[in-house]
Amino acid sequence: MDRTPSAYRRVMLKISGEALMGDQGYGLHPPTVARIAQEVKAVHDMGAEICMVIGGGNIFRGLAGSAQGMERTTADYMGMLATVMNALGMQSQLEALGIHTRVISAIPMDQVCEPYIRRRAVRHLEKKRVCIFAAGTGNPYFTTDTAATLRASEMGCEAVFKGTKVDGVYDKDPNKFDDAKRYDTVSYDEALEKNLGVMDATAIALARDNKLPIIVFSLDAPGGFRSILAGEGTYTRVAS
């Protein structure tokens, strides 16, 4: 077990569903899920209490379904169910590593996961169980970014960690422009005004209202999540 103390007591890790599909283009790629689970374990071993929200875009994206003619609320509910599938996959990998994990759904489905009860979820965290919040907020028209910010606020998290494919927030796409500039820090208002793509506007506004920092980092960099909690690493901090 890593004895390095964590700079944070309780954190929310938000990752996209696409992060779980590796290079196969769809669904869950077990080696990729296992790698991310190892990243979570490294932080868990530091003593941090961990919440997670995983998107569902690797299986179904409600907005895309709506754009193709499907009724929006139905499409969004299908997307919520996709996040439950991803959460169960991550739970399986974490528990294979010996980490007690609870999948907690905003849509009750008692046979496969727990319903969302705030006080129970807090107690799980106090017992060092990883809590994976699934099914978004339980409401259509809200993204998993907003769900992550909401649950992080309810759980008393000290920051939302947004795992992406790049090591922070840039003024333009660093994969397309060699002169892209990475921000070390950026304000909530600047992220909104410049449409920097940190999270959707509702999530950023909710984080701003609750003074909840957003840490954007690369989930592809081995040990990246752990290094930030150890006071190192490369990332962008979105705050006041």
Side-chain angles (χ1 to χ4, degrees):
M1 178 180 290
D2 189 338
R3 297 297 181 184
T4 304
S6 171
Y8 296 83
R9 178 183 60 87
R10 182 178 294 170
V11 298
M12 166 64 74
L13 174 62
K14 167 61 172 69
I15 61 177
S16 67
E18 289 88 344
L20 303 184
M21 67 187 185
D23 57 3
Q24 65 185 13
Y26 178 82
L28 282 84
H29 182 237
T32 300
V33 179
R35 178 184 64 79
I36 295 173
Q38 287 284 0
E39 296 285 327
V40 174
K41 181 181 185 299
V43 170
H44 184 269
D45 288 348
M46 298 170 72
E49 297 170 4
I50 305 170
C51 307
M52 294 182 70
V53 167
I54 306 171
N58 57 319
I59 298 171
F60 188 86
R61 185 179 292 280
L63 200 57
S66 176
Q68 295 177 28
M70 186 175 291
E71 197 271 325
R72 174 65 188 272
T73 56
T74 298
D76 278 357
Y77 280 123
M78 292 173 68
M80 290 179 215
L81 296 178
T83 71
V84 177
M85 296 171 67
N86 284 338
L88 292 172
M90 181 60 67
Q91 178 187 43
S92 178
Q93 288 289 354
L94 287 169
E95 293 199 331
L97 297 174
I99 299 174
H100 295 296
T101 307
R102 296 291 185 272
V103 173
I104 301 171
S105 173
I107 298 174
M109 48 187 82
D110 296 345
Q111 287 84 352
V112 295
C113 52
E114 294 184 8
Y116 176 68
I117 300 172
R118 189 189 70 83
R119 289 174 63 89
R120 181 188 292 176
V122 169
R123 186 63 179 142
H124 286 321
L125 292 170
E126 291 171 348
K127 291 182 176 179
K128 303 301 182 183
R129 296 166 182 161
V130 172
C131 289
I132 307 176
F133 296 102
T137 66
N139 302 287
Y141 296 96
F142 290 92
T143 67
T144 50
D145 279 348
T146 300
T149 308
L150 174 63
R151 296 294 184 238
S153 300
E154 292 177 305
M155 293 298 105
C157 292
E158 296 169 351
V160 175
F161 283 74
K162 175 74 180 286
T164 68
K165 292 185 176 298
V166 293
D167 59 354
V169 178
Y170 286 78
D171 59 350
K172 49 191 168 184
D173 190 342
N175 294 316
K176 296 180 180 178
F177 301 95
D178 292 336
D179 62 343
K181 172 190 171 186
R182 185 180 63 80
Y183 296 94
D184 288 328
T185 60
V186 62
S187 71
Y188 301 114
D189 290 340
E190 189 176 5
L192 288 168
E193 289 166 8
K194 295 184 177 180
N195 194 26
L196 294 176
V198 177
M199 285 182 161
D200 70 78
T202 304
I204 295 172
L206 183 59
R208 178 188 61 193
D209 292 347
N210 290 282
K211 296 181 173 55
L212 183 67
I214 303 169
I215 309 296
V216 183
F217 73 105
S218 173
L219 196 63
D220 289 344
F225 187 25
R226 180 204 166 280
S227 67
I228 297 170
L229 272 80
E232 305 164 357
T234 302
Y235 56 91
T236 297
R237 179 184 174 92
V238 182
S240 297

